[in-house]
Amino acid sequence: MSADRPATRLATRLAFFVAGFGMAAWGPLVPFAKGRLAVDEGVLGLLLLCLGFGSVVAMLLTALLSARYGSKPIILIGGVGLTLILPWLVVAGTPWALGAALVAFGASLGAIDVAANIYAVEVECAAKRPLMSGFHAQFSIGGFAGSAAMTILLWLNVGAFASTLICASFIASIMVLTWSRLPQRAQAQRGALFVMPHAIVVLLAIIAAITFLIEGAILDWSALLLVDRGLVPKAQGGVGFMLFSIGMTVGRLAGDSVVSRVGDRATLVVGSLMAVAGFALLLAAPGVAFAVASFLLIGLGASNLVPILFRRAGTQKVMPTGLAVAAITTVGYAGLLVGPGFVGFLANFAGLPNAFAMLAALMCLVTVSARSVTIEAR
């Protein structure tokens, strides 16, 4: 079955949507997990590292298995894993039990994320037109939908366990739609399954890790920041990530048009500076309206950074495209899932606002690297 088919493009978009939905559904549950287990930010950071550990292991395996056998089975296994494990995140009664559940949940996220990105590169090449921003927009739409669905269900006092069952059932229904629309396998990678990344690929991977780390920190810590500052009640803590996802979605839906007008370098510079301004507004916000606006600004600024990095990975000539994309995906999503754990450690010693100030400083590195990325990766 050809990769250049409307049904295949739809299935790829659904895979990105499921990844975003599953990840974001966990965000509003973080304050509940912290309160249920009566742990501090340091222990919570360790638990988030469990999620990151599971994801990184799965990413490394996915990069190899997708290259040899294709991405379809890995996408399906990841989606099934999210469906089965999400409800366990709210019934785990000890830090050890929650840590084990987060390892499995992270493995499912890592598998579907890497496989979907590798699959997206093949679909875009078959279509011979830009599609990557649109695919990543579906991840953002999924993030908004997952955060909004979980936040609304909790706000309506549905109950945490019942809310996860509803969201898990929705994920399962999406995976049923995806099954018949994916070709049996993506094109397998011929030749070596591993080569040492070259300098430009390493740079792209580092920038991807920074960008994904910031997204992961907003997912895992924005609710706690808003609640601890008394801006919103606990049941509405997910509103920050929800609005961040709106900004990401709007920016990515317009991303291909924006890049075609101003180019990759200008998009990287302006977008990263917008995100830095959003963090400054968040930390200085005197009320909930300004805090809400800051998350929207951060999302708009960061929206097209990652799609540009993946496109540059596809156009560089120093190593095989598939392996370069796999390396950037793995390192980038490692930042998304492992980084927030270290944010927790920093928050435990310096406070959560200072940890968010560090995220703004990291985004400045994206600004200063824009020229090197757009020159060297041609």
Side-chain angles (χ1 to χ4, degrees):
M1 189 184 297
S2 171
D4 186 20
R5 299 171 65 251
T8 304
R9 292 192 288 273
L10 174 60
T12 308
R13 293 186 180 98
L14 290 175
F16 276 88
F17 178 89
V18 165
F21 187 95
M23 182 176 294
W26 156 244
L29 299 173
V30 172
F32 288 85
K34 183 175 183 290
R36 184 177 73 253
L37 301 178
V39 297
D40 59 21
E41 283 81 1
V43 174
L44 187 59
L46 280 174
L47 291 172
L48 296 177
L49 281 178
C50 291
L51 187 148
F53 173 77
S55 68
V56 168
V57 172
M59 288 172 194
L60 294 173
L61 293 174
T62 299
L64 298 176
L65 295 174
S66 290
R68 183 62 75 195
Y69 301 108
S71 301
K72 177 178 180 178
I74 301 172
I75 290 173
L76 296 176
I77 290 171
V80 171
L82 294 177
T83 301
L84 297 177
I85 300 165
L86 181 61
W88 287 97
L89 300 179
V90 297
V91 298
T94 67
W96 286 102
L98 181 59
L102 286 172
V103 168
F105 194 71
S108 300
L109 286 171
I112 195 170
D113 279 331
V114 174
N117 273 287
I118 295 174
Y119 206 99
V121 170
E122 180 181 337
V123 173
E124 185 178 60
C125 289
K128 295 182 173 61
R129 59 189 174 90
L131 295 172
M132 190 63 73
S133 288
F135 289 145
H136 281 262
Q138 295 303 315
F139 182 90
S140 300
I141 292 172
F144 166 73
S147 180
M150 189 64 73
T151 298
I152 291 171
L153 289 169
L154 294 172
W155 182 56
L156 294 174
N157 296 316
V158 172
F161 183 67
S163 298
T164 58
L165 288 178
I166 293 171
C167 291
S169 299
F170 179 69
I171 293 173
S173 67
I174 296 296
M175 294 312 300
V176 170
L177 292 175
T178 304
W179 170 270
S180 61
R181 290 170 172 80
L182 283 176
Q184 281 302 114
R185 53 183 289 174
Q187 182 177 351
Q189 171 82 33
R190 290 185 172 87
L193 292 181
F194 175 80
V195 295
M196 281 302 277
H198 288 252
I200 184 57
V201 177
V202 172
L203 177 60
L204 290 169
I206 291 172
I207 297 174
I210 291 173
T211 308
F212 277 116
L213 184 156
I214 290 169
E215 184 173 349
I218 292 176
L219 166 64
D220 287 329
W221 294 104
S222 62
L224 204 57
L225 179 68
L226 292 174
V227 171
D228 285 353
R229 293 180 62 186
L231 295 173
V232 297
K234 185 166 66 172
Q236 299 173 23
V239 68
F241 184 76
M242 183 174 68
L243 289 165
F244 171 80
S245 297
I246 291 175
M248 292 281 282
T249 302
V250 171
R252 284 177 173 173
L253 288 174
D256 291 329
S257 175
V258 169
V259 172
S260 67
R261 289 169 180 263
V262 304
D264 284 351
R265 185 188 304 180
T267 305
L268 286 171
V269 171
V270 175
S272 57
L273 289 177
M274 284 179 61
V276 171
F279 277 111
L281 179 61
L282 172 63
L283 295 174
V288 64
F290 288 97
V292 164
S294 69
F295 284 109
L296 198 61
L297 184 59
I298 295 170
L300 283 170
S303 58
N304 287 302
L305 304 183
V306 169
I308 288 174
L309 299 178
F310 279 105
R311 178 162 54 251
R312 288 288 169 171
T315 58
Q316 55 79 36
K317 305 300 183 184
V318 297
M319 65 182 294
T321 299
L323 295 180
V325 170
I328 292 169
T329 305
T330 302
V331 175
Y333 280 104
L336 176 69
L337 297 167
V338 176
F342 292 100
V343 171
F345 290 122
L346 181 60
N348 196 41
F349 289 104
L352 199 51
N354 287 327
F356 270 69
M358 180 201 70
L359 298 178
L362 288 175
M363 183 58 79
C364 291
L365 297 179
V366 179
T367 307
V368 301
S369 300
R371 184 175 183 274
S372 297
V373 167
T374 53
I375 291 178
E376 299 296 336
R378 279 196 252 184

